Amino acid sequence: MKKIFTLLLTLYTITTFGQYAKTEENIDLSIAFGQSFAPSLSYQKLYGLGQSKRFKIGWGLRANGFFSGEKNYRTAPARLTSGQSSIFALFSDDLVSNIDTLQLSKSSLGSLNAKIVLQYSFKRFDVGFNIDAIGISFGGKQTGKFLSSESSSLNNSIQSASPSVFNLLLISDSDLGSLNSELYASYHLDSKWSLRTGLSFQFLEYKTDRLLTFENDRFRHKTLQPFLAISYQIGHKK
């Protein structure tokens, strides 16, 4: 609960501070592609900081979709993957003996998340980074084969799984649910329209109907894909 409160306080602080800063708003349609098809539709509001207002911080809402064929989902909880549940998980090796695989026949899930945005603007170009912070996921139940890292009667068994409902940005494998982040550059075609491109890094998470080995029911797939997007600025910059 403390971590959720901290995220909500961060979003509130950005919004409150923005009352005194130069602002801009836009809507954005993005499609990541490669080994999967992952569209997203988002709204964001940015606040210019400093004298030049070139550095911007902001918030937004993003609806994500993820559609693919067969994918491997690995054990998700950080307590199993690295034995850590803090920033140290970023620098810890995987505990291979703890990691199982859920091989889903297909993936079809969506999420609606609040996001945090950092951006630096030039005359016609922007560079930036955004990341989902908190939200929910939804999607249909899927079936797949469970592959255990240890000798178990569950090995090669067929399991059912659904998208984990709650999404929360924490640290690395400590994250919960399905989250999207983008590293991007954009080019302003005119005063309203912009083109964006970059890399989309997504965590996708399914939860099985029952606990499996290591008392675990959460499995995650990570994907890094290029994306293309078009953005439309709403109104005028203030």
PDB file of all heavy atoms in Angstrom, residues 197-234:
ATOM      1  N   THR A 197       8.679   7.481 -33.203  1.00  0.00           N
ATOM      2  CA  THR A 197       9.191   6.128 -33.379  1.00  0.00           C
ATOM      3  C   THR A 197      10.162   5.820 -32.252  1.00  0.00           C
ATOM      4  O   THR A 197      10.696   6.720 -31.606  1.00  0.00           O
ATOM      5  CB  THR A 197       9.880   5.962 -34.748  1.00  0.00           C
ATOM      6  OG1 THR A 197      10.216   4.584 -34.949  1.00  0.00           O
ATOM      7  CG2 THR A 197      11.150   6.799 -34.832  1.00  0.00           C
ATOM      8  N   GLY A 198      10.370   4.544 -32.008  1.00  0.00           N
ATOM      9  CA  GLY A 198      11.276   4.144 -30.937  1.00  0.00           C
ATOM     10  C   GLY A 198      11.108   2.685 -30.592  1.00  0.00           C
ATOM     11  O   GLY A 198      10.746   1.865 -31.447  1.00  0.00           O
ATOM     12  N   LEU A 199      11.341   2.365 -29.327  1.00  0.00           N
ATOM     13  CA  LEU A 199      11.248   0.991 -28.842  1.00  0.00           C
ATOM     14  C   LEU A 199      10.216   0.910 -27.724  1.00  0.00           C
ATOM     15  O   LEU A 199      10.174   1.768 -26.830  1.00  0.00           O
ATOM     16  CB  LEU A 199      12.598   0.514 -28.326  1.00  0.00           C
ATOM     17  CG  LEU A 199      13.709   0.359 -29.366  1.00  0.00           C
ATOM     18  CD1 LEU A 199      15.034   0.047 -28.677  1.00  0.00           C
ATOM     19  CD2 LEU A 199      13.363  -0.732 -30.375  1.00  0.00           C
ATOM     20  N   SER A 200       9.411  -0.125 -27.788  1.00  0.00           N
ATOM     21  CA  SER A 200       8.412  -0.405 -26.756  1.00  0.00           C
ATOM     22  C   SER A 200       8.844  -1.653 -25.989  1.00  0.00           C
ATOM     23  O   SER A 200       9.118  -2.701 -26.583  1.00  0.00           O
ATOM     24  CB  SER A 200       7.038  -0.636 -27.400  1.00  0.00           C
ATOM     25  OG  SER A 200       6.112  -1.146 -26.461  1.00  0.00           O
ATOM     26  N   PHE A 201       8.906  -1.522 -24.669  1.00  0.00           N
ATOM     27  CA  PHE A 201       9.265  -2.650 -23.809  1.00  0.00           C
ATOM     28  C   PHE A 201       8.053  -2.971 -22.939  1.00  0.00           C
ATOM     29  O   PHE A 201       7.594  -2.118 -22.170  1.00  0.00           O
ATOM     30  CB  PHE A 201      10.473  -2.302 -22.942  1.00  0.00           C
ATOM     31  CG  PHE A 201      10.954  -3.444 -22.075  1.00  0.00           C
ATOM     32  CD1 PHE A 201      11.204  -4.686 -22.619  1.00  0.00           C
ATOM     33  CD2 PHE A 201      11.171  -3.260 -20.719  1.00  0.00           C
ATOM     34  CE1 PHE A 201      11.653  -5.742 -21.831  1.00  0.00           C
ATOM     35  CE2 PHE A 201      11.618  -4.302 -19.914  1.00  0.00           C
ATOM     36  CZ  PHE A 201      11.860  -5.546 -20.481  1.00  0.00           C
ATOM     37  N   GLN A 202       7.531  -4.195 -23.070  1.00  0.00           N
ATOM     38  CA  GLN A 202       6.320  -4.555 -22.351  1.00  0.00           C
ATOM     39  C   GLN A 202       6.522  -5.767 -21.450  1.00  0.00           C
ATOM     40  O   GLN A 202       7.217  -6.714 -21.818  1.00  0.00           O
ATOM     41  CB  GLN A 202       5.180  -4.848 -23.331  1.00  0.00           C
ATOM     42  CG  GLN A 202       4.705  -3.637 -24.109  1.00  0.00           C
ATOM     43  CD  GLN A 202       3.361  -3.867 -24.770  1.00  0.00           C
ATOM     44  OE1 GLN A 202       2.389  -4.249 -24.123  1.00  0.00           O
ATOM     45  NE2 GLN A 202       3.295  -3.631 -26.069  1.00  0.00           N
ATOM     46  N   PHE A 203       5.895  -5.695 -20.282  1.00  0.00           N
ATOM     47  CA  PHE A 203       5.713  -6.844 -19.396  1.00  0.00           C
ATOM     48  C   PHE A 203       4.264  -7.293 -19.577  1.00  0.00           C
ATOM     49  O   PHE A 203       3.345  -6.483 -19.434  1.00  0.00           O
ATOM     50  CB  PHE A 203       5.916  -6.444 -17.927  1.00  0.00           C
ATOM     51  CG  PHE A 203       7.355  -6.404 -17.479  1.00  0.00           C
ATOM     52  CD1 PHE A 203       8.386  -6.264 -18.380  1.00  0.00           C
ATOM     53  CD2 PHE A 203       7.666  -6.492 -16.130  1.00  0.00           C
ATOM     54  CE1 PHE A 203       9.715  -6.213 -17.960  1.00  0.00           C
ATOM     55  CE2 PHE A 203       8.988  -6.448 -15.693  1.00  0.00           C
ATOM     56  CZ  PHE A 203      10.013  -6.311 -16.611  1.00  0.00           C
ATOM     57  N   LEU A 204       4.063  -8.571 -19.885  1.00  0.00           N
ATOM     58  CA  LEU A 204       2.717  -9.146 -19.993  1.00  0.00           C
ATOM     59  C   LEU A 204       2.603 -10.259 -18.968  1.00  0.00           C
ATOM     60  O   LEU A 204       3.497 -11.100 -18.864  1.00  0.00           O
ATOM     61  CB  LEU A 204       2.457  -9.722 -21.398  1.00  0.00           C
ATOM     62  CG  LEU A 204       2.457  -8.790 -22.618  1.00  0.00           C
ATOM     63  CD1 LEU A 204       1.596  -7.555 -22.387  1.00  0.00           C
ATOM     64  CD2 LEU A 204       3.856  -8.428 -23.076  1.00  0.00           C
ATOM     65  N   GLU A 205       1.519 -10.272 -18.213  1.00  0.00           N
ATOM     66  CA  GLU A 205       1.418 -11.251 -17.135  1.00  0.00           C
ATOM     67  C   GLU A 205       0.082 -11.996 -17.152  1.00  0.00           C
ATOM     68  O   GLU A 205      -0.983 -11.384 -17.266  1.00  0.00           O
ATOM     69  CB  GLU A 205       1.600 -10.566 -15.781  1.00  0.00           C
ATOM     70  CG  GLU A 205       1.659 -11.537 -14.614  1.00  0.00           C
ATOM     71  CD  GLU A 205       1.903 -10.843 -13.292  1.00  0.00           C
ATOM     72  OE1 GLU A 205       2.987 -10.236 -13.138  1.00  0.00           O
ATOM     73  OE2 GLU A 205       1.021 -10.910 -12.414  1.00  0.00           O
ATOM     74  N   TYR A 206       0.174 -13.321 -17.026  1.00  0.00           N
ATOM     75  CA  TYR A 206      -0.996 -14.189 -16.872  1.00  0.00           C
ATOM     76  C   TYR A 206      -0.931 -14.885 -15.514  1.00  0.00           C
ATOM     77  O   TYR A 206       0.154 -15.140 -14.984  1.00  0.00           O
ATOM     78  CB  TYR A 206      -1.036 -15.241 -17.975  1.00  0.00           C
ATOM     79  CG  TYR A 206      -1.727 -14.774 -19.249  1.00  0.00           C
ATOM     80  CD1 TYR A 206      -1.036 -14.047 -20.214  1.00  0.00           C
ATOM     81  CD2 TYR A 206      -3.067 -15.077 -19.484  1.00  0.00           C
ATOM     82  CE1 TYR A 206      -1.659 -13.629 -21.383  1.00  0.00           C
ATOM     83  CE2 TYR A 206      -3.696 -14.666 -20.654  1.00  0.00           C
ATOM     84  CZ  TYR A 206      -2.990 -13.941 -21.595  1.00  0.00           C
ATOM     85  OH  TYR A 206      -3.612 -13.529 -22.743  1.00  0.00           O
ATOM     86  N   LYS A 207      -2.112 -15.202 -15.004  1.00  0.00           N
ATOM     87  CA  LYS A 207      -2.227 -15.877 -13.715  1.00  0.00           C
ATOM     88  C   LYS A 207      -3.007 -17.170 -13.900  1.00  0.00           C
ATOM     89  O   LYS A 207      -4.099 -17.175 -14.463  1.00  0.00           O
ATOM     90  CB  LYS A 207      -2.954 -14.956 -12.720  1.00  0.00           C
ATOM     91  CG  LYS A 207      -2.915 -15.426 -11.293  1.00  0.00           C
ATOM     92  CD  LYS A 207      -3.506 -14.357 -10.376  1.00  0.00           C
ATOM     93  CE  LYS A 207      -3.403 -14.765  -8.919  1.00  0.00           C
ATOM     94  NZ  LYS A 207      -3.943 -13.703  -8.018  1.00  0.00           N
ATOM     95  N   THR A 208      -2.428 -18.284 -13.466  1.00  0.00           N
ATOM     96  CA  THR A 208      -3.087 -19.577 -13.633  1.00  0.00           C
ATOM     97  C   THR A 208      -4.251 -19.744 -12.648  1.00  0.00           C
ATOM     98  O   THR A 208      -4.326 -19.052 -11.630  1.00  0.00           O
ATOM     99  CB  THR A 208      -2.084 -20.733 -13.443  1.00  0.00           C
ATOM    100  OG1 THR A 208      -1.424 -20.577 -12.181  1.00  0.00           O
ATOM    101  CG2 THR A 208      -1.054 -20.736 -14.554  1.00  0.00           C
ATOM    102  N   ASP A 209      -5.136 -20.669 -12.976  1.00  0.00           N
ATOM    103  CA  ASP A 209      -6.324 -20.897 -12.152  1.00  0.00           C
ATOM    104  C   ASP A 209      -5.977 -21.481 -10.789  1.00  0.00           C
ATOM    105  O   ASP A 209      -6.788 -21.424  -9.863  1.00  0.00           O
ATOM    106  CB  ASP A 209      -7.289 -21.847 -12.868  1.00  0.00           C
ATOM    107  CG  ASP A 209      -7.982 -21.181 -14.047  1.00  0.00           C
ATOM    108  OD1 ASP A 209      -7.849 -19.947 -14.177  1.00  0.00           O
ATOM    109  OD2 ASP A 209      -8.642 -21.888 -14.827  1.00  0.00           O
ATOM    110  N   ARG A 210      -4.789 -22.063 -10.664  1.00  0.00           N
ATOM    111  CA  ARG A 210      -4.394 -22.659  -9.376  1.00  0.00           C
ATOM    112  C   ARG A 210      -2.901 -22.473  -9.158  1.00  0.00           C
ATOM    113  O   ARG A 210      -2.145 -22.160 -10.088  1.00  0.00           O
ATOM    114  CB  ARG A 210      -4.734 -24.147  -9.353  1.00  0.00           C
ATOM    115  CG  ARG A 210      -4.060 -24.969 -10.452  1.00  0.00           C
ATOM    116  CD  ARG A 210      -4.266 -26.440 -10.223  1.00  0.00           C
ATOM    117  NE  ARG A 210      -3.748 -27.263 -11.283  1.00  0.00           N
ATOM    118  CZ  ARG A 210      -3.430 -28.539 -11.138  1.00  0.00           C
ATOM    119  NH1 ARG A 210      -3.571 -29.127  -9.959  1.00  0.00           N
ATOM    120  NH2 ARG A 210      -2.977 -29.247 -12.150  1.00  0.00           N
ATOM    121  N   LEU A 211      -2.479 -22.658  -7.915  1.00  0.00           N
ATOM    122  CA  LEU A 211      -1.065 -22.581  -7.587  1.00  0.00           C
ATOM    123  C   LEU A 211      -0.337 -23.795  -8.153  1.00  0.00           C
ATOM    124  O   LEU A 211      -0.829 -24.920  -8.063  1.00  0.00           O
ATOM    125  CB  LEU A 211      -0.877 -22.530  -6.071  1.00  0.00           C
ATOM    126  CG  LEU A 211      -1.378 -21.268  -5.357  1.00  0.00           C
ATOM    127  CD1 LEU A 211      -1.254 -21.436  -3.847  1.00  0.00           C
ATOM    128  CD2 LEU A 211      -0.595 -20.045  -5.819  1.00  0.00           C
ATOM    129  N   LEU A 212       0.843 -23.539  -8.711  1.00  0.00           N
ATOM    130  CA  LEU A 212       1.645 -24.620  -9.276  1.00  0.00           C
ATOM    131  C   LEU A 212       2.890 -24.796  -8.400  1.00  0.00           C
ATOM    132  O   LEU A 212       2.819 -24.593  -7.202  1.00  0.00           O
ATOM    133  CB  LEU A 212       1.981 -24.292 -10.729  1.00  0.00           C
ATOM    134  CG  LEU A 212       0.728 -24.088 -11.624  1.00  0.00           C
ATOM    135  CD1 LEU A 212       1.123 -23.609 -13.010  1.00  0.00           C
ATOM    136  CD2 LEU A 212      -0.090 -25.368 -11.703  1.00  0.00           C
ATOM    137  N   THR A 213       4.003 -25.215  -8.947  1.00  0.00           N
ATOM    138  CA  THR A 213       5.193 -25.433  -8.115  1.00  0.00           C
ATOM    139  C   THR A 213       5.655 -24.125  -7.488  1.00  0.00           C
ATOM    140  O   THR A 213       5.427 -23.036  -8.037  1.00  0.00           O
ATOM    141  CB  THR A 213       6.333 -26.037  -8.955  1.00  0.00           C
ATOM    142  OG1 THR A 213       6.586 -25.186 -10.075  1.00  0.00           O
ATOM    143  CG2 THR A 213       5.964 -27.424  -9.468  1.00  0.00           C
ATOM    144  N   PHE A 214       6.310 -24.228  -6.338  1.00  0.00           N
ATOM    145  CA  PHE A 214       6.773 -23.078  -5.556  1.00  0.00           C
ATOM    146  C   PHE A 214       5.619 -22.175  -5.120  1.00  0.00           C
ATOM    147  O   PHE A 214       5.816 -20.982  -4.864  1.00  0.00           O
ATOM    148  CB  PHE A 214       7.813 -22.260  -6.342  1.00  0.00           C
ATOM    149  CG  PHE A 214       8.987 -23.057  -6.834  1.00  0.00           C
ATOM    150  CD1 PHE A 214       9.157 -23.304  -8.188  1.00  0.00           C
ATOM    151  CD2 PHE A 214       9.913 -23.572  -5.936  1.00  0.00           C
ATOM    152  CE1 PHE A 214      10.235 -24.043  -8.651  1.00  0.00           C
ATOM    153  CE2 PHE A 214      11.003 -24.311  -6.395  1.00  0.00           C
ATOM    154  CZ  PHE A 214      11.159 -24.549  -7.753  1.00  0.00           C
ATOM    155  N   GLU A 215       4.411 -22.726  -5.071  1.00  0.00           N
ATOM    156  CA  GLU A 215       3.229 -21.960  -4.657  1.00  0.00           C
ATOM    157  C   GLU A 215       3.058 -20.704  -5.514  1.00  0.00           C
ATOM    158  O   GLU A 215       2.670 -19.633  -5.033  1.00  0.00           O
ATOM    159  CB  GLU A 215       3.332 -21.568  -3.179  1.00  0.00           C
ATOM    160  CG  GLU A 215       3.376 -22.754  -2.231  1.00  0.00           C
ATOM    161  CD  GLU A 215       2.060 -23.551  -2.272  1.00  0.00           C
ATOM    162  OE1 GLU A 215       1.000 -22.953  -2.005  1.00  0.00           O
ATOM    163  OE2 GLU A 215       2.101 -24.760  -2.589  1.00  0.00           O
ATOM    164  N   ASN A 216       3.310 -20.856  -6.809  1.00  0.00           N
ATOM    165  CA  ASN A 216       3.260 -19.711  -7.724  1.00  0.00           C
ATOM    166  C   ASN A 216       2.155 -19.877  -8.763  1.00  0.00           C
ATOM    167  O   ASN A 216       1.922 -20.975  -9.272  1.00  0.00           O
ATOM    168  CB  ASN A 216       4.604 -19.552  -8.452  1.00  0.00           C
ATOM    169  CG  ASN A 216       4.557 -18.447  -9.475  1.00  0.00           C
ATOM    170  OD1 ASN A 216       4.168 -17.322  -9.169  1.00  0.00           O
ATOM    171  ND2 ASN A 216       4.938 -18.755 -10.702  1.00  0.00           N
ATOM    172  N   ASP A 217       1.497 -18.748  -9.062  1.00  0.00           N
ATOM    173  CA  ASP A 217       0.475 -18.764 -10.116  1.00  0.00           C
ATOM    174  C   ASP A 217       0.645 -17.607 -11.099  1.00  0.00           C
ATOM    175  O   ASP A 217      -0.219 -17.368 -11.938  1.00  0.00           O
ATOM    176  CB  ASP A 217      -0.931 -18.733  -9.510  1.00  0.00           C
ATOM    177  CG  ASP A 217      -1.180 -17.500  -8.646  1.00  0.00           C
ATOM    178  OD1 ASP A 217      -0.258 -16.667  -8.496  1.00  0.00           O
ATOM    179  OD2 ASP A 217      -2.302 -17.368  -8.119  1.00  0.00           O
ATOM    180  N   ARG A 218       1.772 -16.873 -11.031  1.00  0.00           N
ATOM    181  CA  ARG A 218       2.002 -15.714 -11.897  1.00  0.00           C
ATOM    182  C   ARG A 218       3.140 -15.988 -12.875  1.00  0.00           C
ATOM    183  O   ARG A 218       4.230 -16.408 -12.481  1.00  0.00           O
ATOM    184  CB  ARG A 218       2.317 -14.468 -11.066  1.00  0.00           C
ATOM    185  CG  ARG A 218       1.179 -13.968 -10.204  1.00  0.00           C
ATOM    186  CD  ARG A 218       1.638 -12.840  -9.296  1.00  0.00           C
ATOM    187  NE  ARG A 218       2.366 -11.828 -10.032  1.00  0.00           N
ATOM    188  CZ  ARG A 218       3.465 -11.215  -9.599  1.00  0.00           C
ATOM    189  NH1 ARG A 218       3.969 -11.534  -8.409  1.00  0.00           N
ATOM    190  NH2 ARG A 218       4.058 -10.299 -10.329  1.00  0.00           N
ATOM    191  N   PHE A 219       2.873 -15.679 -14.171  1.00  0.00           N
ATOM    192  CA  PHE A 219       3.859 -15.929 -15.213  1.00  0.00           C
ATOM    193  C   PHE A 219       3.937 -14.719 -16.144  1.00  0.00           C
ATOM    194  O   PHE A 219       2.918 -14.119 -16.475  1.00  0.00           O
ATOM    195  CB  PHE A 219       3.510 -17.200 -15.990  1.00  0.00           C
ATOM    196  CG  PHE A 219       3.577 -18.437 -15.143  1.00  0.00           C
ATOM    197  CD1 PHE A 219       2.488 -18.821 -14.375  1.00  0.00           C
ATOM    198  CD2 PHE A 219       4.737 -19.193 -15.076  1.00  0.00           C
ATOM    199  CE1 PHE A 219       2.543 -19.947 -13.561  1.00  0.00           C
ATOM    200  CE2 PHE A 219       4.806 -20.319 -14.276  1.00  0.00           C
ATOM    201  CZ  PHE A 219       3.717 -20.693 -13.510  1.00  0.00           C
ATOM    202  N   ARG A 220       5.157 -14.390 -16.586  1.00  0.00           N
ATOM    203  CA  ARG A 220       5.390 -13.133 -17.299  1.00  0.00           C
ATOM    204  C   ARG A 220       6.136 -13.367 -18.609  1.00  0.00           C
ATOM    205  O   ARG A 220       7.054 -14.187 -18.701  1.00  0.00           O
ATOM    206  CB  ARG A 220       6.196 -12.194 -16.410  1.00  0.00           C
ATOM    207  CG  ARG A 220       6.617 -10.883 -17.064  1.00  0.00           C
ATOM    208  CD  ARG A 220       7.418 -10.032 -16.104  1.00  0.00           C
ATOM    209  NE  ARG A 220       6.599  -9.600 -14.987  1.00  0.00           N
ATOM    210  CZ  ARG A 220       7.007  -9.615 -13.725  1.00  0.00           C
ATOM    211  NH1 ARG A 220       8.218 -10.054 -13.422  1.00  0.00           N
ATOM    212  NH2 ARG A 220       6.212  -9.191 -12.763  1.00  0.00           N
ATOM    213  N   HIS A 221       5.738 -12.594 -19.615  1.00  0.00           N
ATOM    214  CA  HIS A 221       6.465 -12.546 -20.888  1.00  0.00           C
ATOM    215  C   HIS A 221       6.963 -11.120 -21.088  1.00  0.00           C
ATOM    216  O   HIS A 221       6.218 -10.154 -20.907  1.00  0.00           O
ATOM    217  CB  HIS A 221       5.559 -12.945 -22.054  1.00  0.00           C
ATOM    218  CG  HIS A 221       6.218 -12.851 -23.391  1.00  0.00           C
ATOM    219  ND1 HIS A 221       7.184 -13.734 -23.807  1.00  0.00           N
ATOM    220  CD2 HIS A 221       6.057 -11.961 -24.401  1.00  0.00           C
ATOM    221  CE1 HIS A 221       7.594 -13.408 -25.023  1.00  0.00           C
ATOM    222  NE2 HIS A 221       6.931 -12.335 -25.404  1.00  0.00           N
ATOM    223  N   LYS A 222       8.239 -10.963 -21.449  1.00  0.00           N
ATOM    224  CA  LYS A 222       8.826  -9.648 -21.712  1.00  0.00           C
ATOM    225  C   LYS A 222       9.110  -9.531 -23.206  1.00  0.00           C
ATOM    226  O   LYS A 222       9.626 -10.471 -23.820  1.00  0.00           O
ATOM    227  CB  LYS A 222      10.130  -9.468 -20.928  1.00  0.00           C
ATOM    228  CG  LYS A 222       9.978  -9.588 -19.424  1.00  0.00           C
ATOM    229  CD  LYS A 222      11.334  -9.465 -18.726  1.00  0.00           C
ATOM    230  CE  LYS A 222      11.226  -9.677 -17.230  1.00  0.00           C
ATOM    231  NZ  LYS A 222      12.541  -9.563 -16.537  1.00  0.00           N
ATOM    232  N   THR A 223       8.771  -8.383 -23.777  1.00  0.00           N
ATOM    233  CA  THR A 223       8.993  -8.217 -25.210  1.00  0.00           C
ATOM    234  C   THR A 223       9.495  -6.814 -25.521  1.00  0.00           C
ATOM    235  O   THR A 223       9.021  -5.826 -24.947  1.00  0.00           O
ATOM    236  CB  THR A 223       7.698  -8.496 -26.009  1.00  0.00           C
ATOM    237  OG1 THR A 223       7.943  -8.307 -27.403  1.00  0.00           O
ATOM    238  CG2 THR A 223       6.565  -7.578 -25.574  1.00  0.00           C
ATOM    239  N   LEU A 224      10.476  -6.724 -26.406  1.00  0.00           N
ATOM    240  CA  LEU A 224      11.027  -5.457 -26.865  1.00  0.00           C
ATOM    241  C   LEU A 224      10.799  -5.370 -28.372  1.00  0.00           C
ATOM    242  O   LEU A 224      11.280  -6.225 -29.130  1.00  0.00           O
ATOM    243  CB  LEU A 224      12.522  -5.381 -26.549  1.00  0.00           C
ATOM    244  CG  LEU A 224      13.257  -4.116 -26.998  1.00  0.00           C
ATOM    245  CD1 LEU A 224      12.768  -2.900 -26.215  1.00  0.00           C
ATOM    246  CD2 LEU A 224      14.768  -4.282 -26.830  1.00  0.00           C
ATOM    247  N   GLN A 225      10.046  -4.347 -28.817  1.00  0.00           N
ATOM    248  CA  GLN A 225       9.689  -4.229 -30.225  1.00  0.00           C
ATOM    249  C   GLN A 225       9.763  -2.769 -30.678  1.00  0.00           C
ATOM    250  O   GLN A 225       9.531  -1.853 -29.879  1.00  0.00           O
ATOM    251  CB  GLN A 225       8.261  -4.725 -30.470  1.00  0.00           C
ATOM    252  CG  GLN A 225       8.021  -6.176 -30.133  1.00  0.00           C
ATOM    253  CD  GLN A 225       6.606  -6.612 -30.501  1.00  0.00           C
ATOM    254  OE1 GLN A 225       6.423  -7.525 -31.292  1.00  0.00           O
ATOM    255  NE2 GLN A 225       5.610  -5.969 -29.920  1.00  0.00           N
ATOM    256  N   PRO A 226      10.057  -2.546 -31.968  1.00  0.00           N
ATOM    257  CA  PRO A 226       9.972  -1.182 -32.502  1.00  0.00           C
ATOM    258  C   PRO A 226       8.513  -0.759 -32.628  1.00  0.00           C
ATOM    259  O   PRO A 226       7.611  -1.601 -32.722  1.00  0.00           O
ATOM    260  CB  PRO A 226      10.640  -1.310 -33.874  1.00  0.00           C
ATOM    261  CG  PRO A 226      10.411  -2.738 -34.270  1.00  0.00           C
ATOM    262  CD  PRO A 226      10.472  -3.523 -32.988  1.00  0.00           C
ATOM    263  N   PHE A 227       8.283   0.540 -32.616  1.00  0.00           N
ATOM    264  CA  PHE A 227       6.915   1.026 -32.800  1.00  0.00           C
ATOM    265  C   PHE A 227       6.919   2.285 -33.666  1.00  0.00           C
ATOM    266  O   PHE A 227       7.918   3.001 -33.791  1.00  0.00           O
ATOM    267  CB  PHE A 227       6.238   1.314 -31.454  1.00  0.00           C
ATOM    268  CG  PHE A 227       6.695   2.584 -30.784  1.00  0.00           C
ATOM    269  CD1 PHE A 227       6.112   3.814 -31.081  1.00  0.00           C
ATOM    270  CD2 PHE A 227       7.733   2.564 -29.864  1.00  0.00           C
ATOM    271  CE1 PHE A 227       6.550   4.988 -30.485  1.00  0.00           C
ATOM    272  CE2 PHE A 227       8.180   3.729 -29.249  1.00  0.00           C
ATOM    273  CZ  PHE A 227       7.580   4.946 -29.571  1.00  0.00           C
ATOM    274  N   LEU A 228       5.762   2.554 -34.250  1.00  0.00           N
ATOM    275  CA  LEU A 228       5.498   3.788 -34.979  1.00  0.00           C
ATOM    276  C   LEU A 228       4.236   4.404 -34.396  1.00  0.00           C
ATOM    277  O   LEU A 228       3.305   3.681 -34.013  1.00  0.00           O
ATOM    278  CB  LEU A 228       5.314   3.525 -36.477  1.00  0.00           C
ATOM    279  CG  LEU A 228       6.546   3.038 -37.251  1.00  0.00           C
ATOM    280  CD1 LEU A 228       6.146   2.675 -38.682  1.00  0.00           C
ATOM    281  CD2 LEU A 228       7.632   4.117 -37.264  1.00  0.00           C
ATOM    282  N   ALA A 229       4.180   5.732 -34.354  1.00  0.00           N
ATOM    283  CA  ALA A 229       3.026   6.392 -33.748  1.00  0.00           C
ATOM    284  C   ALA A 229       2.770   7.725 -34.436  1.00  0.00           C
ATOM    285  O   ALA A 229       3.676   8.331 -35.032  1.00  0.00           O
ATOM    286  CB  ALA A 229       3.250   6.609 -32.255  1.00  0.00           C
ATOM    287  N   ILE A 230       1.533   8.178 -34.322  1.00  0.00           N
ATOM    288  CA  ILE A 230       1.165   9.514 -34.774  1.00  0.00           C
ATOM    289  C   ILE A 230       0.469  10.226 -33.630  1.00  0.00           C
ATOM    290  O   ILE A 230      -0.342   9.627 -32.915  1.00  0.00           O
ATOM    291  CB  ILE A 230       0.272   9.472 -36.033  1.00  0.00           C
ATOM    292  CG1 ILE A 230       0.024  10.884 -36.555  1.00  0.00           C
ATOM    293  CG2 ILE A 230      -1.039   8.716 -35.776  1.00  0.00           C
ATOM    294  CD1 ILE A 230      -0.542  10.918 -37.965  1.00  0.00           C
ATOM    295  N   SER A 231       0.827  11.488 -33.410  1.00  0.00           N
ATOM    296  CA  SER A 231       0.305  12.260 -32.283  1.00  0.00           C
ATOM    297  C   SER A 231      -0.393  13.518 -32.792  1.00  0.00           C
ATOM    298  O   SER A 231       0.041  14.131 -33.785  1.00  0.00           O
ATOM    299  CB  SER A 231       1.429  12.676 -31.323  1.00  0.00           C
ATOM    300  OG  SER A 231       2.114  11.551 -30.836  1.00  0.00           O
ATOM    301  N   TYR A 232      -1.449  13.892 -32.083  1.00  0.00           N
ATOM    302  CA  TYR A 232      -2.189  15.111 -32.424  1.00  0.00           C
ATOM    303  C   TYR A 232      -2.282  15.994 -31.196  1.00  0.00           C
ATOM    304  O   TYR A 232      -2.744  15.560 -30.136  1.00  0.00           O
ATOM    305  CB  TYR A 232      -3.599  14.766 -32.923  1.00  0.00           C
ATOM    306  CG  TYR A 232      -4.440  15.981 -33.262  1.00  0.00           C
ATOM    307  CD1 TYR A 232      -4.224  16.670 -34.450  1.00  0.00           C
ATOM    308  CD2 TYR A 232      -5.419  16.439 -32.377  1.00  0.00           C
ATOM    309  CE1 TYR A 232      -4.958  17.789 -34.780  1.00  0.00           C
ATOM    310  CE2 TYR A 232      -6.167  17.567 -32.698  1.00  0.00           C
ATOM    311  CZ  TYR A 232      -5.936  18.234 -33.903  1.00  0.00           C
ATOM    312  OH  TYR A 232      -6.679  19.350 -34.210  1.00  0.00           O
ATOM    313  N   GLN A 233      -1.821  17.222 -31.327  1.00  0.00           N
ATOM    314  CA  GLN A 233      -1.861  18.157 -30.197  1.00  0.00           C
ATOM    315  C   GLN A 233      -3.251  18.755 -30.045  1.00  0.00           C
ATOM    316  O   GLN A 233      -3.850  19.225 -31.025  1.00  0.00           O
ATOM    317  CB  GLN A 233      -0.841  19.277 -30.398  1.00  0.00           C
ATOM    318  CG  GLN A 233      -0.770  20.237 -29.216  1.00  0.00           C
ATOM    319  CD  GLN A 233       0.321  21.252 -29.382  1.00  0.00           C
ATOM    320  OE1 GLN A 233       1.497  20.896 -29.458  1.00  0.00           O
ATOM    321  NE2 GLN A 233      -0.054  22.517 -29.451  1.00  0.00           N
ATOM    322  N   ILE A 234      -3.764  18.719 -28.824  1.00  0.00           N
ATOM    323  CA  ILE A 234      -5.087  19.256 -28.538  1.00  0.00           C
ATOM    324  C   ILE A 234      -4.966  20.715 -28.141  1.00  0.00           C
ATOM    325  O   ILE A 234      -4.224  21.048 -27.218  1.00  0.00           O
ATOM    326  CB  ILE A 234      -5.748  18.467 -27.381  1.00  0.00           C
ATOM    327  CG1 ILE A 234      -5.791  16.980 -27.717  1.00  0.00           C
ATOM    328  CG2 ILE A 234      -7.149  18.988 -27.099  1.00  0.00           C
ATOM    329  CD1 ILE A 234      -6.206  16.122 -26.550  1.00  0.00           C
TER     330      ILE A 234
END
